[in-house]
Amino acid sequence: MISVGIDAGSATTKAVLVKDDSSIVHSIHPTAFDFVSAAEKAYEDVLRVAGIERKDVDSVYSTGYGRNNINFANKAISEITAHAMGVYHFYSEVKGIIDIGGQDCKVIAVNDGKVTDFLMNDKCAAGTGKFLEYTARALEVPIEELGNLALASESPAGITSMCTVFAESEVISLRAKGFSKEDIAAGLVESIARRVAVMARQVGLKENVAFVGGVAKNTGIKAALEKELGISLHMVPEPQITGALGAALYGNS
Amino acid sequence: MPMPVGKMHSFKSLENIKNSYIERIHQVSDERKKGKKSVGTFCLFVPDEIIFAAGADRMILCGGKNDTVSIAEQYLPRNICPLVKSSFGSIVNDGCSGIKSCSHFSMVDMIVAENTCDSKKKMYELLDNYVPTYVIDLPQRPDTPEAMRYFLSELEKFRDAMEQLTGNKVTDERLKEEIRSSNETRKLLHKLYELRKRDPSPISGIEVLKILQKQYFLSPDKLKEYLRELINEVESTEPEQVHKPRIMISGCPMPGGNTKVPAIIESKGGAIVAEESCTGTRSFWDMVDENKDHMLALAERYIKIPCSCMSPNERRIDNILELAREFKVDGVVYYTLQFCHGYNIEKYKVQQALKKAGIPMLSIETDYSDSDVEQIGLRVDAFLEMIS
């Protein structure tokens, strides 16, 4: 049984090939403008690496923002269901998932790999990777360094705005007041952690919570979220590919 | 806007309703030429029976179109509900400058409003500058004898205002007739909803919604005619035997022009089988008692409408649970309009109650624009996958 999952995300397109439930190959491509050609490239990539031909693939399931545009997929499933399955594969005790991506933030309650409840942030960049991207820019630091900078702070600056646009101007005014980069970075990280923690509490996540999505790679955010929620977050080996993996496994089941 | 997939068939009687808008416009226009008065309403709390008994006609003026929202924003704050903005925009622009299906907004001699939520209440004050606006006050702790007495006195004042507008007396005889007629409509709607309890439901949610959106727009006779035809047709049609997840919508009204969320739900493969909404069960669920003093019977029936402006509003929670069981729903989509504080805040209580009953709920807060169609689609996909 060979199944492929394609996660057509807004920033990156991920493909995962699963053979007989065990061997897993993945590939990550920037999505750029064209969802379909990014998906094609990622698909060809995993086929090449796995040494498998297209005709031998039993099912292709798509997920992610562009899931309905992938014409070579047999079926599209939501990334919420896909992430739950993907994380469950790595971490079978999982009861909750926090997924912070570029465009949105999802909090999912899971039981036996199945979604039992979920929340997504509403129509706005608050609590997403975009928030970090914009505010890091106002701080003139690369986004990857934001987390480590934050960890070096001893008294985080208070960032009161949840709104990305207003937070950006708040950062500029804190800079003007002479706050250090570290303290502002810590303020930003705390602000996003607070926002996400509210959602996690609404869905009732308490233990065995996995942290996935592109932002999960950011250690500062992880530390701030753990402090805010009072639990330690479980990391899966490849947090960026759990959606594509889940789609592949869904097709497999 | 996505179209429902796997649609069973189209009902012929629904095709007829497509022409009903223009027919109704001609009807009201002719009536007015002959001196009949026409009033505009916004809300279930205004008893139709009194309007008709006074010999006037009525049309609902709730706006469901996005086009007129920006017109209203010249006068009203941006951060209020789209229904209020859309309605106001349609009215002040005198028939919406040629926007299709809008001319009825300029065809009323008086508006009969009601004090429900803050946005509407304050909007009515501005509306009075454009069309004479009569406001029925509404006690919002409905379960006290004082509230009943007060609401009855408000309805009596309203009856006098209608008599003054039309020059006709609202006799007991006329009221009795109109109550019987309205109850008949309610019974027909019950019959239609009864058919939706079948699994699979023989009619889509969008199809039912499109009729309910015209419930207070059409003349009662025409509405009943359409309902009878439709019920006959639905009763005699075999639905396709495909089980789809059964969804109940609960929350804010969806006035004519707004089918955004139901269209998404049904295009993703869900079947809407009930709506706990003003464009749903709230409008027809309870009858008016025909065997007691007519004004008192009206007051008793109307004050019990479980709108979120009422407090406490346990009646609504009980009703939602009862409907969810009766219609055997797999999940509830709690639908709210942005800035509708009543229904948005009440969501918490509804969610707790549904959780206790083991019924999954998805919450969608939105407006009339298409900007969030994709995001809502994702949530609906995930919800349907979750409950399937």
Side-chain angles (χ1 to χ4, degrees), chain A residues 212-233:
Chain A
V212 301
V215 177
K217 288 181 174 168
N218 195 312
T219 48
I221 303 276
K222 179 173 177 270
L225 251 178
E226 289 179 328
K227 193 173 147 211
E228 192 66 37
L229 288 171
I231 54 174
S232 64
L233 295 172

Side-chain angles (χ1 to χ4, degrees), chain A residues 67 78-79 81 115 121-122, chain B residues 367 378-379 381-382 385-386:
Chain A
R67 66 193 179 285
S78 74
E79 45 266 50
T81 304
V115 177
N121 65 334
D122 277 305
Chain B
D367 59 11
L378 170 62
R379 283 160 223 220
D381 267 338
E385 285 159 6
M386 184 178 110

Side-chain angles (χ1 to χ4, degrees), chain A residues 15-207:
Chain A
V16 167
L17 185 144
V18 179
K19 194 179 172 191
D20 301 328
D21 259 0
S22 52
S23 76
I24 292 170
V25 175
H26 78 263
S27 157
I28 301 174
H29 271 269
T31 298
F33 191 76
D34 187 355
F35 279 103
V36 183
S37 75
E40 273 286 352
K41 278 183 200 144
Y43 186 25
E44 277 163 17
D45 250 17
V46 287
L47 289 172
R48 196 180 54 245
V49 177
I52 285 168
E53 284 189 55
R54 237 172 217 250
K55 63 175 172 50
D56 298 321
V57 174
D58 295 296
S59 74
V60 181
Y61 271 48
S62 61
T63 185
Y65 189 73
R67 66 193 179 285
N68 294 320
N69 300 335
I70 313 301
N71 44 24
F72 56 87
N74 305 98
K75 196 179 181 255
I77 62 166
S78 74
E79 45 266 50
I80 292 165
T81 304
H83 275 299
M85 281 214 119
V87 172
Y88 180 67
H89 178 84
F90 288 123
Y91 177 38
S92 60
E93 300 86 41
V94 63
K95 292 282 177 223
I97 297 168
I98 293 173
D99 170 14
I100 308 183
Q103 295 271 350
D104 57 30
C105 168
K106 306 178 195 80
V107 168
I108 310 166
V110 194
N111 195 25
D112 283 335
K114 292 206 75 176
V115 177
T116 57
D117 198 3
F118 65 91
L119 261 187
M120 277 175 71
N121 65 334
D122 277 305
K123 239 189 160 178
C124 154
T128 72
K130 271 279 175 283
F131 179 88
L132 294 175
E133 196 181 312
Y134 276 81
T135 50
R137 200 173 63 188
L139 206 53
E140 289 175 1
V141 298
I143 185 166
E144 308 78 44
E145 280 172 32
L146 199 67
N148 284 332
L149 261 182
L151 290 173
S153 160
E154 286 182 1
S155 73
I159 306 278
T160 47
S161 182
M162 289 286 178
C163 168
T164 302
V165 177
F166 291 139
E168 199 178 340
S169 27
E170 214 174 336
V171 168
I172 293 166
S173 71
L174 287 169
R175 273 174 58 184
K177 281 183 196 156
F179 278 84
S180 72
K181 275 192 177 182
E182 288 79 4
D183 289 347
I184 300 175
L188 288 168
V189 163
E190 272 188 6
S191 146
I192 193 171
R194 264 200 308 274
R195 165 86 193 150
V196 176
V198 168
M199 290 170 64
R201 284 191 211 102
Q202 278 177 293
V203 173
L205 303 193
K206 286 192 189 81
E207 55 196 357

Side-chain angles (χ1 to χ4, degrees), chain B residues 87-305:
Chain B
S87 310
F88 189 80
S90 304
I91 295 162
V92 301
N93 203 33
D94 203 14
C96 328
S97 305
I99 293 172
K100 226 178 119 205
S101 310
C102 237
S103 43
H104 69 284
F105 284 97
S106 59
M107 294 174 67
V108 297
D109 301 291
M110 183 169 105
I111 283 172
V112 180
E114 77 308 315
N115 281 341
T116 44
C117 68
D118 285 349
S119 304
K120 278 164 95 191
K121 200 158 72 184
K122 301 311 282 184
M123 184 262 281
Y124 295 145
E125 292 174 11
L126 302 185
L127 208 50
D128 195 36
N129 295 329
Y130 301 87
V131 187
T133 302
Y134 181 90
V135 181
I136 300 174
D137 194 23
L138 191 65
Q140 303 197 344
R141 291 186 73 84
D143 293 323
T144 63
E146 293 82 3
M148 252 314 291
R149 273 202 298 277
Y150 179 65
F151 188 50
L152 179 58
S153 74
E154 279 294 299
L155 290 189
E156 283 162 354
K157 267 194 273 177
F158 167 51
R159 177 196 57 198
D160 298 347
M162 287 308 300
E163 288 180 341
Q164 211 174 1
L165 176 77
T166 61
N168 300 325
K169 197 94 193 120
V170 175
T171 60
D172 248 21
E173 211 38 53
R174 289 289 297 118
L175 259 186
K176 189 178 178 174
E177 251 171 71
E178 291 303 335
I179 289 174
R180 198 189 299 132
S181 159
S182 292
N183 274 347
E184 215 178 297
T185 304
R186 293 178 185 117
K187 282 175 201 155
L188 285 170
L189 285 164
H190 268 279
K191 210 167 168 187
L192 178 65
Y193 271 58
E194 202 55 40
L195 292 168
R196 304 173 82 189
K197 290 183 182 172
R198 292 185 189 164
D199 189 14
S201 166
I203 183 165
S204 75
I206 290 279
E207 289 169 319
V208 175
L209 178 63
K210 286 197 173 156
I211 297 179
L212 280 157
Q213 287 178 334
K214 290 203 159 71
Q215 189 185 354
Y216 297 98
F217 170 72
L218 297 172
S219 73
D221 288 345
K222 200 76 198 168
L223 175 72
K224 275 183 271 202
E225 188 187 311
Y226 284 133
L227 282 171
R228 280 194 197 99
E229 279 176 21
L230 179 66
I231 290 166
N232 277 337
E233 212 183 337
V234 175
E235 269 178 338
S236 60
T237 318
E238 272 297 308
E240 272 181 42
Q241 291 300 312
V242 197
H243 177 81
K244 295 176 176 176
R246 298 171 65 83
I247 303 292
M248 175 165 85
I249 289 183
S250 171
C252 290
M254 296 180 187
N258 174 23
T259 52
K260 176 164 121 178
V261 171
I264 296 173
I265 294 172
E266 297 203 321
S267 77
K268 299 286 187 185
I272 298 165
V273 296
E275 304 81 8
E276 188 275 325
S277 162
C278 302
T279 38
T281 54
R282 275 204 290 278
S283 71
F284 67 86
W285 208 246
D286 293 329
M287 301 288 147
V288 178
D289 191 339
E290 293 178 29
N291 301 313
K292 60 164 67 159
D293 175 78
H294 302 316
M295 290 302 285
L296 181 66
L298 285 171
E300 283 177 354
R301 187 270 179 193
Y302 278 83
I303 205 173
K304 281 192 196 137
I305 296 169

